[in-house]
Amino acid sequence: MDDIVLKLRAKGLQRVYLMGTSFGANGSLAHAAYGKQAIDGVIAIAPGHTVDLPNTSQLYKKSLATAASMVKAGKGEELETFTDFNSGKRRDIAMKASVFVSYFDPNGWASMSLSAKKVSQTIPLLVLIGGPHDLTAELGKAYFFSSWPQHPKSAYAILEGAEHFTAPEFAIAPVLKWLSEVQN
């Protein structure tokens, strides 16, 4: 992400906002927290990879322990079969142990609540939840939005009529409106 931000700035872009849907929201938040290149704001649409919640971390506990042990033993680049519970479905997936740890460590970069607390820039955040039944809807602002550094243009909303996978379509108008308001 840092390289992309640098290239955009080199092309003369004055403002760079990161936007991601579902796990992409985690990535956008993580860059705001850990990236070296400053950005101008983050848009999180239907954030959904909740590795930092106790229920979720329990699902991955065994696979995460195996992957972390492999990384510690210097075998992080080796492929192994791990269990994933994406969209409520259990799957065995082959991936590098280091990649599994990066996705599922509840104290790592994929943790939205941890990333929000580590953001040092005062930049706006737009969070659009994919409907009232989306994964993070019941968690509300307290999950990570309230931990983000206060900014007068930050906003949080539930996309009525949307669901997790349709949220990007429902988000177009609110995102464009927010971007025009943030830039004024």
Side-chain angles (χ1 to χ4, degrees):
M1 292 298 283
D2 282 321
D3 290 343
I4 293 168
V5 173
L6 271 174
K7 287 176 186 173
L8 292 171
R9 298 274 191 212
K11 289 182 178 182
L13 268 88
Q14 299 280 321
R15 295 182 182 107
V16 176
Y17 293 85
L18 298 182
M19 179 170 55
T21 300
S22 195
F23 186 70
N26 299 65
S28 297
L29 294 166
H31 180 82
Y34 304 103
K36 293 178 179 78
Q37 296 302 314
I39 55 173
D40 298 287
V42 171
I43 302 164
I45 301 170
H49 190 66
T50 56
V51 296
D52 47 3
L53 297 179
N55 303 6
T56 307
S57 62
Q58 284 299 340
L59 293 173
Y60 301 103
K61 189 174 184 177
K62 184 178 177 186
S63 286
L64 184 59
T66 300
S69 175
M70 289 176 68
V71 170
K72 189 174 182 179
K75 298 178 179 181
E77 297 305 300
E78 290 184 18
L79 284 176
E80 182 61 63
T81 300
F82 300 106
T83 301
D84 183 17
F85 293 91
N86 194 343
S87 300
K89 296 177 183 158
R90 182 186 190 281
R91 294 173 222 179
D92 290 331
I93 54 172
M95 89 174 32
K96 292 179 182 178
S98 60
V99 172
F100 191 86
V101 170
S102 75
Y103 272 71
F104 296 105
D105 181 358
N107 298 305
W109 285 25
S111 167
M112 291 185 280
S113 62
L114 187 59
S115 290
K117 291 174 187 167
K118 292 189 179 255
V119 173
S120 59
Q121 305 175 75
T122 303
I123 56 175
L125 168 66
L126 174 62
V127 176
L128 297 171
I129 304 297
H133 303 292
D134 200 9
L135 197 59
T136 58
E138 68 184 40
L139 302 170
K141 292 180 180 181
Y143 179 44
F144 68 86
F145 182 82
S146 297
S147 299
W148 190 266
Q150 295 295 309
H151 189 284
K153 301 285 185 164
S154 288
Y156 178 98
I158 294 178
L159 296 167
E160 295 301 327
E163 295 178 14
H164 187 75
F165 294 108
T166 62
E169 175 186 341
F170 283 79
I172 295 169
V175 165
L176 292 174
K177 182 178 186 247
W178 182 78
L179 285 170
S180 70
E181 291 169 358
V182 167
Q183 295 181 34
N184 291 328

